[in-house]
């Protein structure tokens, strides 16, 4: 099947505020476009700002630029309602891929939608009422009208099938590729600046209730006596559970053992990943646990909860604990810190596992989805 022209709706991606899902989508699409054997011609619909931010993706490729200010959310919504359908018709594409899952279903073309997570339906707290209302209004109709739905994990796939009346054969898992990893800052500088001592237990993720930061904090209480120079670093944006996490740290008297680090630069973030002794992910809900994947790629052992997408991501390359079990989390962290042979085995298994999550692999999975739609028509 050659000569396939796929229009890609990138209207909602703002390069000034890229989310992990945006990085994953762009890296996957760029890899697909670079594959000369794929037989796919990507036609991009995007803002001028995105075109300027990712010149390699747009080089020698047909692109249609939004006639709206790229930084205004309302303008991007208007673009999908008015400009995009007409531009897609003029481009004579075979199918349209909406990477944000929120475009209106009105289209004469076969439509593929990407749904990165279902937080507006399952875990709406902290997302903003307008965003939640908008997603709950447009996402179900977009899914219903789609010829195929792309999701990043089996966890999201199962949840989507529970929520919506969708033919399961049309829901395809396309895992995210490895997230970008920037040049790290000097770890000595990072330690001195933020008061981080000893071995680093790193927990990435914004402080949302489903991330279960309090479980990691309580685990440090168990670790305190045997590892008195170990620091738990909570790395991520402030979320709705920020005050609860701070209160837990104070109530347990762990102010000297826990460092809360929000708004860190990419260089600081990379340094912490590269020098962490272990990364913990007690979260019970995510679309894709990209922080776990990045840890494995950096050669860092991971301990995850038995919920959400993390267990499928790590497979046998990490330790999996019952969700909410801070005592067991402490036991697994202790094992990583004290058992050199176990640590070496986890590092090697994690590296092997992470190598499977490349942009070309994600591109091949996405290409299979495109082809499955045309075969079914």
């Amino acid at each position: 099947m050659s000569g396939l022209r796929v229009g890609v709706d990138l209207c909602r991606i703002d390069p000034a505020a890229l989310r992990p899902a945006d990085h994953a989508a762009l890296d996957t699409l760029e890899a697909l476009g670079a594959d000369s054997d794929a037989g796919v011609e990507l036609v991009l619909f995007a803002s001028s700002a995105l075109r300027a931010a990712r010149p390699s993706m747009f080089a020698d490729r047909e692109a249609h630029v939004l006639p709206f200010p790229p930084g205004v959310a309302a303008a991007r919504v208007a673009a999908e309602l008015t400009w995009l359908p007409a531009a897609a018709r003029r481009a004579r594409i075979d199918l349209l891929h909406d990477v944000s899952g929120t475009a209106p279903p009105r289209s004469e073309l076969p439509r593929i939608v990407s749904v990165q997570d279902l937080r507006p339906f399952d875990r709406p707290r902290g997302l903003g009422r307008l965003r939640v209302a908008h997603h709950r209004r447009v996402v179900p109709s977009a899914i219903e009208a789609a010829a195929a739905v792309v999701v990043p994990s089996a966890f999201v796939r199962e949840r989507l099938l529970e929520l919506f009346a969708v033919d399961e054969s049309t829901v395809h898992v396309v895992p995210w590729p490895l997230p970008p990893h920037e040049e790290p800052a000097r770890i000595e500088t990072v330690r001195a600046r933020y008061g981080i001592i000893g071995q680093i237990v790193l927990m990435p993720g914004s402080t949302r209730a489903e991330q279960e930061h309090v479980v990691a904090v309580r685990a440090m209480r168990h670790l305190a006596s045997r590892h008195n120079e170990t620091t738990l670093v909570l790395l991520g944006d402030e979320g709705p559970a920020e005050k609860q996490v701070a209160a837990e740290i104070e109530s347990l008297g762990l102010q000297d053992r826990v460092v809360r680090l929000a708004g860190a630069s990419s260089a600081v973030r990379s340094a912490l990943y590269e020098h962490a002794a272990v990364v913990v992910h007690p979260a019970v809900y995510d679309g894709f646990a990209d922080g776990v994947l990045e840890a494995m790629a950096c050669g860092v052992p991971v301990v995850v909860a038995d919920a959400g997408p993390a267990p499928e991501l790590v497979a046998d390359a990490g330790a999996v604990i019952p969700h909410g079990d801070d005592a067991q989390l402490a036991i697994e962290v202790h094992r990583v810190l004290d058992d050199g042979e176990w640590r070496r085995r986890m590092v090697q298994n994690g590296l092997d596992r992470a190598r499977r999550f490349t942009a070309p692999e994600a591109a091949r999975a996405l290409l299979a989805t495109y082809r499955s739609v045309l075969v079914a028509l």
Side-chain angles (χ1 to χ4, degrees), residues 23-33 35 97 150-152 172-178 288 293 355-370:
H23 282 292
L26 295 173
D27 291 346
T28 299
L29 289 163
E30 189 162 354
L32 178 57
D35 185 355
H97 178 191
V150 172
V151 295
H172 302 256
V173 176
V174 178
W176 293 356
L178 274 169
F288 187 84
L293 181 57
R355 291 188 187 104
R356 305 181 188 185
F357 294 85
T358 65
E361 280 297 321
R364 279 189 278 274
L366 182 59
L367 176 61
T369 301
Y370 290 166

Side-chain angles (χ1 to χ4, degrees), residues 11 14 47-49 66-77 79:
C11 294
D14 180 2
S47 69
S48 57
L66 274 70
F68 296 93
V72 181
R76 295 196 297 272
V77 174

Side-chain angles (χ1 to χ4, degrees), residues 9-17 47 66 68-82 100 102-104 127 130-131 134-135 137:
D9 173 13
L10 302 170
C11 294
R12 301 252 179 159
I13 294 185
D14 180 2
S47 69
L66 274 70
F68 296 93
V72 181
R76 295 196 297 272
V77 174
E80 288 185 326
L81 286 168
T82 59
S100 300
T102 54
L127 293 180
L130 287 178
R131 179 183 170 188
H134 178 68
H135 277 71
R137 180 172 57 85

Side-chain angles (χ1 to χ4, degrees), residues 102-117:
T102 54
R106 293 181 302 167
S107 175
E108 301 166 0
L109 297 161
R111 174 73 63 86
I112 294 173
V113 298
S114 289
V115 177
Q116 304 296 353
D117 67 58

Side-chain angles (χ1 to χ4, degrees), residues 266-299:
S266 57
V268 168
R269 188 175 181 278
S270 294
L272 289 169
Y273 268 100
E274 291 189 10
H275 293 275
V278 58
V279 164
V280 297
H281 185 81
V284 296
Y285 192 94
D286 262 313
F288 187 84
D290 54 304
V292 171
L293 181 57
E294 187 170 0
M296 292 191 296
C298 289

Side-chain angles (χ1 to χ4, degrees), residues 18-70:
L18 288 176
R19 304 168 303 154
D22 298 329
H23 282 292
L26 295 173
D27 291 346
T28 299
L29 289 163
E30 189 162 354
L32 178 57
D35 185 355
S36 58
D37 296 327
V40 171
E41 181 182 357
L42 296 181
V43 180
L44 307 179
F45 302 88
S47 69
S48 57
L50 183 59
R51 186 173 186 170
R54 297 280 297 227
S56 60
M57 184 174 180
F58 287 80
D60 302 319
R61 186 161 292 127
E62 182 179 339
H64 300 261
V65 178
L66 274 70
F68 296 93

